Amino acid sequence: MARPETTVGQVLLDRIEAQAVVLAGLDDAVRADEPDAVHRMRVACRRLRSALRTFRRFLDPGATEALVADLRWLATALGRARDREVLAERLAAQARELPADCGPERIAGALERWGETEYRRVWPEVVAALDSPRRRALADALTALLAEPPLRPRATRAARPELSRIATREQRRTAERVRSALAADPTERDRALHEARKAAKRARYAGETAALAVGAAAERYAERMKAVQEVLGEHQDAVVAAEALIDQAVAGGEPFGYGALYARQLAAAEAARGRLAEVWAVAGKRGLARFG
């Protein structure tokens, strides 16, 4: 339920505490390699890091820089395994949809074996990260932050207007990156779209945080930013998949089939770019970040 009578500092601390609980509760699940555990831990890292960065003007200068760096480190360590797993699953599923003349089962099997090999190759890095002193220091830093929050006096301001201001700022940042990406030269386009995706994700997380105090208006904002993030995520996934297929085709022995898969990634990326303007027209509306 929305809580209109609260401060922006308390909203931030509520967000940090909730995600810290998620993060702490996933260690055993990740070590056991339970389904989706790596993904959920990685998302918790991202949400925590985004909150600390987006709301940093309410925190003492420099108080959370090391924590932000540690969250980035852990998310990166988790991502190396997760990204390879998801990529192989995506490509194998698409390979099975190829015409029989393309050798769909042979290609799918090869991609699955490649994905499994890559996943197991980097998996020890995930366990090592969880068992490292840096991971324990990260947990201790979150506990200390919540026990003695390094809040600045401005964190006592009423939440609703401050959250609206932050959401507006993040919407504008995303708008700038979307416009730049749509106008980018083809040689810079993929990088620009990836930057726009990161901005949309940060705006989405700002909306999720605001929803703790604002309710439905912030939830609607977060959902619309999520839609932008997802379209841009589809583009990024296709770009990464296309790059991986170039390497796999050399050793795969099925040049026609791999070429067909590659063409499919190019088409998916183009389709995502084509939907971006329409999705952003909704997410970029004036007044979306006015929470009352």
Side-chain angles (χ1 to χ4, degrees):
M1 181 177 294
R3 300 183 306 170
E5 301 299 330
T6 190
T7 67
V8 64
Q10 188 58 55
V11 171
L12 172 59
L13 293 177
D14 287 348
R15 175 69 160 179
I16 293 171
E17 182 177 19
Q19 295 305 310
V21 169
V22 173
L23 189 64
L26 284 169
D27 273 31
D28 290 343
V30 172
R31 285 191 180 88
D33 201 9
E34 293 182 7
D36 210 38
V38 169
H39 173 65
R40 287 184 288 140
M41 179 176 274
R42 193 181 184 190
V43 170
C45 288
R46 287 172 170 170
R47 283 176 167 147
L48 281 164
R49 184 161 63 94
S50 183
L52 293 170
R53 293 177 63 201
T54 303
F55 290 80
R56 62 181 176 270
R57 69 189 298 267
F58 301 102
L59 299 163
D60 291 339
T64 60
E65 288 181 3
L67 180 54
V68 167
D70 285 346
L71 288 164
R72 181 186 294 111
W73 158 79
L74 181 56
T76 300
L78 295 166
R80 280 190 286 269
R82 170 70 179 174
D83 289 347
R84 285 163 175 77
E85 179 183 38
V86 172
L87 176 59
E89 290 174 354
R90 167 196 173 101
L91 290 174
Q94 292 182 3
R96 289 193 166 91
E97 298 173 356
L98 292 172
D101 291 346
C102 294
E105 285 300 327
R106 290 192 298 273
I107 294 176
L111 289 168
E112 286 172 340
R113 290 190 294 275
W114 166 73
E116 179 68 16
T117 299
E118 285 293 293
Y119 186 79
R120 293 303 164 191
R121 182 178 68 81
V122 299
W123 180 252
E125 298 177 14
V126 174
V127 178
L130 293 180
D131 291 337
S132 69
R134 190 171 186 180
R135 172 67 182 97
R136 292 191 291 273
L138 191 162
D140 291 344
L142 284 170
T143 299
L145 184 151
L146 292 167
E148 296 186 27
L151 296 176
R152 302 177 71 179
R154 65 181 61 177
T156 61
R157 294 174 182 172
R160 190 176 293 266
E162 291 298 318
L163 294 169
S164 182
R165 184 191 61 77
I166 290 168
T168 299
R169 183 190 68 203
E170 297 303 321
Q171 185 188 39
R172 288 172 178 167
R173 176 185 284 113
T174 307
E176 291 171 1
R177 294 192 182 182
V178 168
R179 284 195 296 268
S180 295
L182 290 173
D185 181 271
T187 60
E188 296 293 327
R189 184 177 55 202
D190 291 346
R191 181 198 60 78
L193 287 165
H194 186 48
E195 291 300 313
R197 179 194 181 195
K198 291 191 288 186
K201 184 188 300 182
R202 180 163 157 169
R204 170 194 171 185
Y205 289 162
E208 290 178 356
T209 302
L212 297 172
V214 175
E219 290 170 0
R220 182 167 56 252
Y221 173 95
E223 283 300 314
R224 291 182 180 176
M225 293 303 166
K226 179 182 177 182
V228 177
Q229 176 195 336
E230 288 179 343
V231 167
L232 291 167
E234 291 171 14
H235 179 272
Q236 180 66 10
D237 288 347
V239 169
V240 172
E243 292 174 352
L245 284 169
I246 293 173
D247 295 332
Q248 292 304 304
V250 174
E254 298 282 353
F256 185 71
Y258 278 103
L261 271 183
Y262 182 82
R264 182 166 180 168
Q265 309 315 310
L266 299 185
E270 183 177 2
R273 290 194 300 272
R275 295 198 306 275
L276 177 57
E278 179 182 356
V279 174
W280 179 251
V282 177
K285 285 184 177 180
R286 294 181 62 182
L288 181 64
R290 293 175 188 164
F291 300 151

